[in-house]
Amino acid sequence: MDFSIAPLLDNWRFLALGLWTTLYVSVLSMAGSVVVGVAVGLGRCYGPGWLKAPLVFYIDSMRAIPVLVVLIWMYFAFPLLVGTSMPPVTGAVVAITVHLAASVAEIVRAGVESIRPGQVRAALALGMSQRQMVQKIILPQATVRMLPAYGSALGIAVKDTAIASVIAVPELIRQAETVAGLTYKPLEVYTVVMLMYFLILFPISRGVDRFYLRVAHLGRS
């Protein structure tokens, strides 16, 4: 079997569009999931009692439902509830954000609860409000401790974009499927796509690990 990259060179702009869409959806999804996840995690830890039950239900339900199901429901069923449709990219970003935010919320909760109770009591004894305690004592240490898990969540966001092809998002996998079908070169196309995902995710995981090693001492107490 001849291995030829000519089809890839002929269609590099088409694949580049898929790569750009993958990165675009990944960045927006991760940014949104961090914002929502931090809010949900802190709400579960420090929110009023009536708020904790629905937050726990949201976290547990999202962790129990596959992201593919959330993606399909968000794109095909949710518009029926609100009476308007949404572009595929928007549906993918919202679905991945909603699903991944539940995991980020658990990361936040674990990081917050890892701080020794003695520090909380000391902060309150010094006259700090709960908000000051969280901002100045809890979050700076917890954020450092959460970095490895955040790195994993970022990798999940990138990989989940591949599923978005089912709702016609022109991300990398969907573009690759089109090129492979037109050129009859699935080995070459999918091998290169696999390498592209590796080149995206490997530097992220190693970069987060190296950064964590440099700042890990800031999270020790």
Side-chain angles (χ1 to χ4, degrees):
M1 179 180 294
D2 295 331
F3 190 94
S4 173
I5 63 171
L8 297 168
L9 297 177
D10 293 338
N11 296 277
W12 72 267
R13 288 186 178 87
F14 191 72
L15 292 173
L17 173 62
L19 177 61
W20 163 250
T21 304
T22 291
L23 296 175
Y24 178 76
V25 173
S26 300
V27 171
L28 290 183
S29 300
M30 189 59 197
S33 65
V34 168
V35 173
V36 176
V38 169
V40 172
L42 293 179
R44 181 176 179 180
C45 292
Y46 300 108
W50 60 266
L51 183 61
K52 293 183 180 180
L55 292 182
V56 170
F57 175 78
Y58 160 70
I59 292 171
D60 290 345
S61 61
M62 284 298 102
R63 296 176 70 194
I65 301 174
V67 64
L68 177 60
V69 176
V70 177
L71 185 69
I72 293 175
W73 186 90
M74 185 64 66
Y75 185 68
F76 292 105
F78 181 72
L80 299 177
L81 294 178
V82 298
T84 183
S85 60
M86 65 175 69
V89 171
T90 302
V93 171
V94 173
I96 295 173
T97 295
V98 169
H99 191 269
L100 188 58
S103 298
V104 174
E106 283 297 274
I107 293 171
V108 171
R109 182 181 67 87
V112 167
E113 293 183 351
S114 70
I115 305 301
R116 291 186 299 174
Q119 295 193 40
V120 175
R121 292 193 293 268
L124 296 176
L126 290 173
M128 287 186 176
S129 65
Q130 186 180 71
R131 182 174 182 177
Q132 290 174 325
M133 175 194 68
V134 172
Q135 290 180 341
K136 298 182 178 181
I137 304 297
I138 303 298
L139 281 183
Q141 298 178 76
T143 300
V144 173
R145 298 183 182 188
M146 292 185 286
L147 280 176
Y150 274 142
S152 298
L154 180 57
I156 291 173
V158 176
K159 288 183 283 188
D160 280 352
T161 59
I163 306 174
S165 61
V166 300
I167 61 171
V169 175
E171 45 72 54
L172 187 56
I173 289 296
R174 184 173 180 84
Q175 302 296 84
E177 289 175 347
T178 302
V179 173
L182 292 174
T183 62
Y184 301 101
K185 293 289 185 178
L187 175 62
E188 292 87 338
V189 173
Y190 292 127
T191 299
V192 171
V193 167
M194 182 173 62
L195 290 175
M196 292 171 73
Y197 274 108
F198 175 80
L199 292 176
I200 295 171
L201 292 170
F202 184 76
I204 291 175
S205 61
R206 296 310 306 155
V208 171
D209 287 344
R210 290 191 176 187
F211 180 70
Y212 174 70
L213 291 176
R214 291 187 177 185
V215 300
H217 64 281
L218 299 176
R220 300 191 184 109
S221 59

